[in-house]
Amino acid sequence: MQYSAWRIFTQALKGNSGWKPVWRDPDPKPEYDIVIIGGGGHGLATAYYLSKVFGQHKVAVLEKGWIGSGNVGRNTTIIRSNYLLDGNQPFYEFSMKLWEGLEQDFNYNAMVSQRGVLNLFHSDAQRDAYVRRGNAMLMSGADAVLLDRARLRAMCPFLDFDNARFPIHGALWQPRAGTVRHDAVAWGYARGADQNGVDIVQNCEVTGLLVQNGRCDGVETTRGTIRAKKVAVCVAGSSSRVMAMAGLRLPIESHVLQAFVSEGLKPVIPGVITFGAGHFYVSQSNKGGLVFGGDIDGYNSYAQRGNMATVEDVCEGGMGIMPMIGRARLLRMWGGIMDMSMDGSPFIDRTPIDGLYFNGGWCYGGFKATPASGYCYAHLLARDAPHEVARAYRLDRFARGAPIDEKGVGAQPNLH
Ligand SMILES: Cc1cc2nc3c(=O)[nH]c(=O)nc-3n(C[C@H](O)[C@H](O)[C@H](O)COP(=O)(O)OP(=O)(O)OC[C@H]3O[C@@H](n4cnc5c(N)ncnc54)[C@H](O)[C@@H]3O)c2cc1C
């Protein structure tokens, strides 16, 4: 079913009775060319680009719950390409360009909203660091503007500029950054992949990997054995658990990250704002709720819920830059499991086991990466060679002494 203004009009006249299910609900076949484990944003995007760009149609996505039940439906929806390091910036800018054409590409309204991201700075040293980051962004073709206090005040008069502890001196602004409706991204990719012949199999948990003589030939699932020429793991917070089925250990720890939504308010936040002296980020949804978050909970967990100490820390961050947030009532909150890598950067790579591929380590920034991650993983799976913007995302980079230490905290995911 194609969507158009005309179809919305005619459906309105028919009481919306003519819409069809957006993707099929197939039983798994005994064999595929490529099996993707994980029906999150990255797994579905991979299937979409495999079938659309790389001519692979014997593909299945196996999801243990329902698609969108993982982090793709739990994140705070921020997209941006404001990275510093060579290994990362071109990749995230590639992703931003894919976001910009995504809705036309898969004919689905994902509410891509380029309302801008403001990273506040609070000291001269931090301003210098942001100038450097902005220059790296410009060199990769991204957009970056340094705002002084007066320009920032004109945009966001409600910020606490003269907070004694964290005075706000200005911001690094990426006007093309913004937000996207997260679950619609999963649905749009699922619909597109399904139309291209991909089987999206929900309620199908992978319980084992068929590995023999250094080769992976398929998977054991709760719906039977499925053979595959290539098995592509793409399970975000469950990465360590699934890769352990093949006896592989990863430089990844799983932590909880929480998100919060306030009651609906009149429009007040112009885009996304991030606190530079603590960890807090906020935007406003189209329904008016303030959508915000902060640090991960500082302990390892596979539970999709967090604890109160982090709630307090996040709210303190909000009060630090915009005290008016203290008047808003919290409507709901939830948690998701983060696959925190030891340098803050992801992996898209083959593994030492033939036929087994890995995509993960997205930390709390993988939503914005969804289109590029899917495209580059599809490239790797179809051509057995990394895409040029994802060359640095190798599993052996720590052994080679080549981490992409974007967050600068090394082996301390609790400090990301
Ligand atoms: C609260 C929160 C806020 C965030 N905010 C942002 C943000 O603003 N911007 C940003 O860029 N990123 C953000 N992120 C991070 C981002 O959501 C993730 O990095 C990204 O969604 C991970 O990729 P995914 O969509 O494929 O993961 P998921 O949606 O988690 O997909 C993985 C899937 O694998 C499935 N699975 C696991 N094990 C198995 C198995 N054995 N068999 C079959 N299926 C299995 C899971 O059920 C799940 O559906 C946030 C995350 C959270 C939780």
Side-chain angles (χ1 to χ4, degrees), residues 37-44 62-80 83 204-207 234-238 242 245 256-260 281 304 334-339 362-370:
I37 310 175
H42 293 221
L44 293 165
L62 310 181
E63 166 53 46
K64 76 174 173 188
W66 65 94
I67 62 170
S69 57
N71 293 340
V72 69
R74 292 169 178 267
N75 62 71
T76 40
T77 78
I78 300 165
I79 62 163
R80 54 186 170 87
Y83 282 69
C204 181
E205 179 171 0
V206 170
T207 52
C234 200
V235 293
S238 303
V242 172
M245 295 175 191
V256 182
L257 179 68
Q258 303 188 57
F260 308 84
Y281 40 88
Q304 289 177 315
W334 61 87
I337 313 166
M338 305 290 80
D339 39 336
W362 294 100
C363 303
Y364 44 65
F367 177 64
K368 71 178 89 71
T370 306

Side-chain angles (χ1 to χ4, degrees), residues 127-198:
R127 181 202 54 213
D128 293 351
Y130 279 3
V131 168
R132 194 164 161 228
R133 179 178 296 264
N135 286 337
M137 291 163 66
L138 294 173
M139 281 164 67
S140 80
D143 54 323
V145 181
L146 197 75
L147 298 180
D148 63 14
R149 221 168 123 99
R151 279 189 73 191
L152 179 62
R153 198 190 280 272
M155 281 169 84
C156 302
F158 54 85
L159 291 175
D160 186 3
F161 285 84
D162 299 315
N163 179 311
R165 195 152 169 224
F166 308 116
I168 297 169
H169 292 190
L172 179 65
W173 182 35
Q174 185 178 21
R176 280 165 63 242
T179 58
V180 182
R181 178 166 172 191
H182 48 12
D183 35 20
V185 174
W187 301 332
Y189 276 127
R191 173 175 170 275
D194 177 88
Q195 283 176 343
N196 295 333
V198 172

